[in-house]
Amino acid sequence: MARITRARMNAEADYLENVAATRSDRAAVSGEQAATDPKNSQHTRACAARAAESARNHAAEYRDMAAELRAGEIPEGFRFE
């Protein structure tokens, strides 16, 4: 098994913070907008609200994983590809 360098861990943390979490934040905003759009059906608004919540949770998870990587830990279930 190859040794994972600190530089690689920091690069992965940068990706999680700057790409993955940001993308999830944008998805959450989109979902929140759809959830409050009166043109959408009640069902669509409810689904959009759940999707926005899920996206916010993903963003938080990505930031938590990035913090673990920066601390020199490998988050549970994280795979270096």
Side-chain angles (χ1 to χ4, degrees), residues 1-2 29 33 39 42 52 56 58 65 77:
M1 180 182 200
V29 169
Q33 290 170 343
K39 295 181 219 168
Q42 184 175 357
R56 289 272 180 233
H58 285 132
M65 287 191 289

Side-chain angles (χ1 to χ4, degrees), residues 4-5 15 21 26 37-38 40 45 48 53 55 58-59 73 77-78:
I4 306 301
T5 64
Y15 174 83
R26 284 193 310 266
D37 188 342
N40 290 332
R45 290 193 311 263
E53 180 182 3
H58 285 132
E73 301 293 325
F78 190 84

